[in-house]
Amino acid sequence: MDALLLTLKLAFFSTVILIIIATPLAWFLAHNTFKGKFLLEAIIALPLVLPPTVLGFYLLIALGPNGPGGFIAQLWGDRTLAFSFSGLLIGSVIYSLPFVVQPLQNGFSLIGKKPLEVAYTLNASFKDAWRTIIFPLAKPAYISAATLGFAHTLGEFGVVLMIGGNIPGETQVISIKIFEQVEALQYQDAHVLSAILLGLSFLMLTAIYATRKSANKTGML
Amino acid sequence: MNLELTFSLKKGRFQLNANTQIHWQQPSTHVIFGKSGIGKSHLLRCICGLENPTGVISWHEDHNHVHWLDSERRMNMACHLRPVTMVFQDNQLFSHLNVEENLRFAFDRATANEHDWQHCIDALKLRDLLSHQVQQLSGGQAQRVALARAILSKPKLLILDEPLASLDWQSKQDVMDYIKRLNHEWQLPVLYVTHDIHEVLTLADQVIMLHDKNAMTQVQTPRPLIDILQDENHPFYGLGKSSILIAHNTQHQQDGLLHCQVGEQLMRLPIAQISDKGASLSSKEHTHPTNLKTVAEENKLRLCIAANDVSLALSEAKDSSIVNTLQGKVSRIEQTTSGQYLIQLKVDDQYLLSEISAYSFKRLNIEMWQPLFAQIKGVALQRCR
């Protein structure tokens, strides 16, 4: 059960961080054209095509004692960020970034800048306008983004294997645990965990498609 | 009320320069006119605070002088703090809120009171629409809601950015009726942007032209519409092929006619006729008798007369079905591109345009300063202050 809890915790925190990072990023990409925009978009999309092991390998080096991760870890006396929950979190955030940025960017593009500007002219401040106009309008996009980000982190394997190792309670997530169980020929246990992951993933995707459909009906997306 | 605009905005190769004062003696309508793509919207966005130009924008009202923008002092008031509200071409109602919630959005963030709310809902006939989703509204209804929302945000200046451009003809007339009442009923000074000459003729008190030269748009000083139409150097001259006469001493008569005077000459305007004929420029005033009454009570009328509704005669016809004849002298003769002749008559101190065929022109043998009788078939009635 440790692995399941850890996986959920990882997915939850990754999603929260991702939503916070992706909101300004997606808004910026949706409403600005600038030189080299394609470059930024390509970088964000990289995890979509890159083999997770490649991403994991670079992350391992970056998080290791000789990379920036090691430098940061020294601040609290650790040698490396790799093989720790924080390292895993950083890896997951990078790995799942495109899955959160893209639905938000599409949503923001559809909404456009106009509703925000109209709200301004009606005496609503920046915060007020985001709270009362943009977030409600972008709700379907946020549901898609959060669910995709969460689900994708849930299924993460390659990156975790590379940078997380297999420390129970610290970095051993459910996908790694299943792999281990199969290696050890404990099919019974692997069945249980796989079924849980399958059910969770299916549930979340159903939720996305259901909200998308109702959003279309009310013309919000 | 006075809006000072001294700024320039650069966007890529496009540049907008403004160096002018827009002054409202009382709440009236200034129309900003310029062809599509010239930068009208940019000008409005600068005033609202949605763009970031360099220079000065300031608002004077009753000895209060507020800077909205002053680049030298690094001061740029945020859009939501400026007392300006804009109505956009495509209504821009919030799609996740219904009609009432859209109105409440503005109401809750302004100093309007319950009385303003009730008055606005009734005046714009929105009571039955309050619970509707905005997606259910027709174009005209949606624009009415947008207008109400803008009024309820209690601006000191209301900006309308081509509010009729995306409406069909019938909705246009409908919404236009409400726009005409903004000055009088809500004491709102209005900046109205359009590239439609008919809207200019119907609504404008003053006209602000935008001109461009080498992708540089210059905002010109406001001028009264009546001046512009009579200025042969102005591009509007004869453009709308309509003239505007100010009639005074308006009186409702027992016979149902509206009597008024242009100079010393009497005009009789059968209300039904005005409305039918006026449909192209004015509106269906006959369906809004109260509206007409307000106009009449102000005792002055603006008559908008299309040049092709005016025929010319050498003598006053006694046996014609045409009721209104004005006597004047030819003050200008011009051949239009379509081969017609545009004759300007001086009627007392006002001007009337008539469009006649080349054949008629020859037959009447029209010369400058020749006295002529203008027979007016149709008149469109406008409000006037």
Side-chain angles (χ1 to χ4, degrees):
Chain A
M1 273 302 103
D2 263 6
L4 179 61
L5 276 179
L6 182 76
T7 308
L8 291 176
K9 188 174 130 192
L10 179 69
F12 175 77
F13 283 111
S14 298
T15 308
V16 171
I17 295 173
L18 275 167
I19 290 287
I20 294 169
I21 297 177
T23 295
L25 192 61
W27 182 266
F28 182 74
L29 286 171
H31 296 305
N32 287 286
T33 42
F34 52 92
K35 263 189 200 165
K37 180 181 176 181
F38 62 95
L39 217 63
L40 183 59
E41 286 181 308
I43 290 172
I44 293 170
L46 259 186
L48 285 175
V49 291
L50 217 53
T53 41
V54 174
L55 187 69
F57 174 66
Y58 284 120
L59 274 169
L60 183 66
I61 292 185
L63 296 174
N66 299 321
F71 178 77
I72 295 170
Q74 276 172 8
L75 296 179
W76 56 85
D78 264 351
R79 210 173 65 82
T80 172
L81 272 182
F83 311 115
S84 69
F85 182 74
S86 356
L88 223 52
L89 203 54
I90 294 174
S92 302
V93 165
I94 293 173
Y95 183 52
S96 299
L97 189 64
F99 292 87
V100 179
V101 170
Q102 282 180 358
L104 284 185
Q105 188 180 341
N106 292 340
F108 290 155
S109 287
L110 276 173
I111 293 167
K113 264 184 175 173
K114 268 284 164 65
L116 193 64
E117 294 180 343
V118 174
Y120 288 161
T121 66
L122 296 170
N123 306 333
S125 67
F126 177 82
K127 261 194 199 160
D128 184 4
W130 268 85
R131 193 173 54 81
T132 53
I133 303 298
I134 300 301
F135 284 135
L137 281 175
K139 201 166 117 195
Y142 272 102
I143 293 176
S144 290
T147 324
L148 278 176
F150 192 88
H152 192 246
T153 312
L154 216 59
E156 190 178 334
F157 179 75
V159 176
V160 183
L161 194 69
M162 294 296 281
I163 63 171
N166 195 0
I167 309 163
E170 174 80 15
T171 62
Q172 192 189 51
V173 297
I174 202 166
S175 55
I176 303 272
K177 178 109 184 195
I178 294 170
F179 180 68
E180 200 188 59
Q181 285 166 345
V182 173
E183 291 269 274
L185 296 173
Q186 300 169 328
Y187 276 39
Q188 193 61 41
D189 298 330
H191 258 307
V192 174
L193 282 183
S194 296
I196 291 175
L197 212 53
L198 178 72
L200 262 177
S201 306
F202 178 70
L203 229 106
M204 278 185 291
L205 289 178
T206 326
I208 294 189
Y209 287 108
T211 50
R212 262 200 202 151
K213 212 168 176 192
S214 67
N216 278 342
K217 255 185 224 154
T218 55
M220 290 215 302
L221 243 175
Chain B
M1 289 150 286
N2 199 51
L3 182 65
E4 185 196 342
L5 304 171
T6 317
F7 65 82
S8 69
L9 175 76
K10 264 192 109 155
K11 281 216 144 181
R13 286 181 58 211
F14 165 83
Q15 193 175 352
L16 171 73
N17 289 320
N19 189 358
T20 190
Q21 305 262 347
I22 304 177
H23 183 70
W24 286 266
Q25 194 80 49
Q26 71 262 68
S28 57
T29 302
H30 292 239
V31 170
I32 297 175
F33 184 85
K35 55 183 190 225
S36 309
I38 200 173
K40 297 186 295 283
S41 295
H42 279 107
L43 175 64
L44 301 184
R45 293 171 59 83
C46 287
I47 297 172
C48 284
L50 294 170
E51 296 283 344
N52 200 357
T54 41
V56 174
I57 298 175
S58 65
W59 176 252
H60 308 239
E61 193 182 13
D62 310 328
H63 307 293
N64 276 329
H65 184 162
V66 185
H67 274 84
W68 292 350
L69 172 79
D70 190 343
S71 301
E72 267 182 22
R73 287 194 286 161
R74 290 170 172 271
M75 119 88 154
N76 190 359
M77 192 187 276
C79 173
H80 70 276
L81 299 174
R82 299 187 189 190
V84 200
T85 301
M86 180 139 96
V87 174
F88 296 82
Q89 178 180 332
D90 38 359
N91 71 65
Q92 291 293 341
L93 298 177
F94 299 126
S95 58
H96 63 301
L97 304 176
N98 69 16
V99 171
E100 178 164 8
E101 289 162 342
N102 262 281
L103 297 177
R104 289 273 174 208
F105 186 90
F107 183 76
D108 292 343
R109 288 163 180 78
T111 55
N113 56 35
E114 192 55 32
H115 171 76
D116 295 326
W117 171 268
Q118 298 298 347
H119 173 216
C120 189
I121 304 281
D122 286 335
L124 286 147
K125 301 208 166 61
L126 294 176
R127 204 163 281 287
D128 297 336
L129 298 178
L130 283 180
S131 58
H132 282 49
Q133 291 299 316
V134 296
Q135 290 85 357
Q136 293 174 275
L137 301 176
S138 71
Q141 289 171 334
Q143 203 55 283
R144 242 158 65 203
V145 176
L147 212 54
R149 190 175 64 172
I151 292 168
L152 285 171
S153 79
K154 282 253 160 178
K156 291 190 168 147
L157 171 63
L158 182 60
I159 295 181
L160 306 176
D161 186 6
E162 306 199 23
L164 305 178
S166 49
L167 299 181
D168 60 72
W169 183 84
Q170 185 59 49
S171 317
K172 244 179 218 188
Q173 306 311 314
D174 185 39
V175 175
M176 179 78 93
D177 275 349
Y178 295 103
I179 292 176
K180 281 183 198 163
R181 290 156 63 185
L182 289 171
N183 295 147
H184 194 70
E185 201 153 344
W186 282 277
Q187 293 295 307
L188 272 173
V190 171
L191 258 183
Y192 187 98
V193 171
T194 183
H195 61 255
D196 183 320
I197 182 74
H198 287 311
E199 291 172 25
V200 179
L201 293 171
T202 311
L203 290 169
D205 295 304
Q206 305 255 326
V207 179
I208 301 158
M209 299 291 286
L210 293 191
H211 275 264
D212 67 335
K213 232 192 216 167
N214 312 324
M216 210 162 83
T217 298
Q218 189 75 40
V219 181
Q220 304 207 324
T221 321
R223 289 178 62 189
L225 176 68
I226 292 166
D227 280 10
I228 285 176
L229 291 175
Q230 289 160 11
D231 177 357
E232 56 194 68
N233 294 321
H234 197 277
F236 270 21
Y237 178 77
L239 182 67
K241 288 190 185 155
S242 294
S243 34
I244 285 181
L245 294 178
I246 301 294
H248 52 94
N249 276 340
T250 314
Q251 281 169 357
H252 271 288
Q253 294 293 317
Q254 297 294 336
D255 51 9
L257 295 178
L258 193 66
H259 284 210
C260 59
Q261 273 182 290
V262 174
E264 294 298 309
Q265 306 184 56
L266 184 68
M267 285 188 83
R268 298 173 199 84
L269 309 172
I271 293 163
Q273 182 204 329
I274 297 165
S275 318
D276 289 341
K277 194 56 211 177
S280 64
L281 280 172
S282 163
S283 61
K284 41 186 179 69
E285 252 101 356
H286 58 294
T287 60
H288 293 284
T290 46
N291 202 7
L292 185 63
K293 205 167 134 207
T294 1
V295 175
E297 269 167 9
E298 283 163 22
N299 213 18
K300 262 190 182 182
L301 274 181
R302 183 197 286 200
L303 308 176
C304 195
I305 301 165
N308 56 13
D309 273 346
V310 180
S311 56
L312 298 175
L314 296 172
S315 58
E316 189 170 6
K318 301 283 182 201
D319 50 358
S320 162
S321 66
I322 284 171
V323 185
N324 288 303
T325 306
L326 291 175
Q327 194 178 10
K329 285 180 175 167
V330 179
S331 56
R332 197 186 143 86
I333 300 168
E334 189 185 337
Q335 196 165 9
T336 63
T337 43
S338 55
Q340 305 274 86
Y341 278 85
L342 204 59
I343 312 291
Q344 188 192 51
L345 279 191
K346 190 163 191 255
V347 180
D348 293 296
D349 55 348
Q350 303 191 60
Y351 295 86
L352 182 63
L353 283 176
S354 165
E355 190 178 43
I356 57 174
S357 65
Y359 174 75
S360 308
F361 179 78
K362 279 222 183 78
R363 201 165 57 90
L364 294 178
N365 199 14
I366 293 174
E367 288 169 9
M368 282 297 281
W369 302 113
Q370 178 184 359
L372 280 178
F373 291 90
Q375 301 177 324
I376 300 164
K377 274 177 263 176
V379 174
L381 185 69
Q382 314 291 348
R383 61 113 173 69
C384 182
R385 278 171 302 274

